[in-house]
Amino acid sequence: QKTKADTKVMLSGDMKIPMAALDPGFGRDACLLRFGDSVSSTDGGLVVLQFGPIYTLDINVKSSEPVEYQILYQTKALLDRHSVPYGNVAIDVVGTSLKVAGIFQKEMSPDYYQYNSILGVTELKFHPNDLMTPRQLYGTRSTESWMAMSKFIDRCQIKGLDADTIMELTSRRVHELNGRLRIEAKEEYKVRLGKIMAGRGSPDKGDAACMLL
């Protein structure tokens, strides 16, 4: 509450950068396209990231049109509606999502950002004053992404989060293994939250938010 991550602020039209994140999901989870605007300082550091609309893309598995192209055409239409350059899009490239990313690269932009949650943890510090790197602190790339979101929220640099995303970001457990932090696995989260809150499933909106960051 004190960080006011659920509130919106006025962003300068000359400074804001429109962005989007696509998590194809492919049947296991929802196919989400999430929008936001970032404002950076003159040295390139993030000042604020304000989240915008979230869309669940409609997938018709009975259609003669391949699922990948259904996702691509809906994504293109929404990016155009929100005036997001195709190069300002992050796409999950793990597993079957890689096929969507390949088509996007070929038909829309080769400059999109590849989000790979199973890569190794990076050495990039969230803040210059941090004493340790993410690789020293976290056991997985997903954990690094989620903890980065937590730190940016604590510094009041995140705005416009919806209630569902806030719930997912704050309800996913973190544990220590071999001296490093790890977030709760998706399958474990689904089972645990399903027992507590009927209808709750995968933390897809939280994942897409971290992709955008």
Side-chain angles (χ1 to χ4, degrees):
Q1 182 66 32
K2 66 180 181 180
T3 64
K4 298 182 178 179
D6 58 338
T7 62
K8 286 187 176 290
V9 295
M10 185 67 70
L11 301 180
S12 169
D14 295 333
M15 298 291 291
K16 69 179 182 180
I17 301 172
M19 306 183 300
L22 173 63
D23 186 352
F26 276 106
R28 297 168 292 116
D29 303 311
C31 180
L32 296 181
L33 182 62
R34 176 153 215 162
F35 289 86
D37 295 293
S38 70
V39 173
S40 299
S41 59
T42 54
D43 62 0
L46 178 67
V47 174
V48 65
L49 171 59
Q50 181 153 277
F51 287 90
I54 312 170
Y55 295 91
T56 300
L57 305 188
D58 296 321
I59 307 301
N60 182 1
V61 295
K62 296 182 179 180
S63 173
S64 59
E65 185 172 63
V67 169
E68 294 82 7
Y69 280 91
Q70 293 181 49
I71 294 173
L72 183 75
Y73 296 145
Q74 292 179 68
T75 297
K76 183 180 185 304
L78 289 167
L79 293 176
D80 292 344
R81 182 192 303 178
H82 290 280
S83 301
V84 176
Y86 300 155
N88 289 4
V89 180
I91 304 178
D92 185 354
V93 296
V94 174
T96 52
S97 297
L98 183 59
K99 191 171 182 180
V100 172
I103 296 172
F104 185 96
Q105 181 180 36
K106 180 180 178 181
E107 302 200 10
M108 294 179 64
S109 173
D111 300 322
Y112 74 99
Y113 174 77
Q114 296 186 13
Y115 181 83
N116 191 330
S117 60
I118 63 175
L119 287 179
V121 184
T122 74
E123 293 282 355
L124 300 174
K125 292 183 177 180
F126 303 147
H127 191 274
N129 294 334
D130 289 345
L131 297 178
M132 300 176 71
T133 68
R135 186 170 294 172
Q136 294 171 301
L137 295 169
Y138 311 123
T140 65
R141 188 68 169 271
S142 293
T143 305
E144 178 184 358
S145 297
W146 279 66
M147 297 308 293
M149 176 63 73
S150 176
K151 288 181 177 291
F152 279 102
I153 290 175
D154 286 344
R155 293 179 180 135
C156 301
Q157 293 175 278
I158 300 296
K159 301 295 179 183
L161 283 178
D162 59 286
D164 283 345
T165 301
I166 291 174
M167 189 282 297
E168 291 177 7
L169 291 173
T170 56
S171 62
R172 198 167 181 180
R173 291 175 174 172
V174 179
H175 65 275
E176 186 175 324
L177 180 66
N178 298 326
R180 291 180 172 83
L181 297 178
R182 288 175 178 262
I183 57 170
E184 182 178 26
K186 264 192 174 185
E187 293 306 316
E188 294 175 2
Y189 178 94
K190 291 178 186 179
V191 172
R192 182 173 60 82
L193 263 289
K195 292 178 180 178
I196 300 172
M197 306 172 67
R200 288 291 178 186
S202 180
D204 300 323
K205 292 181 179 179
D207 276 342
C210 292
M211 287 175 61
L212 202 57
L213 179 63

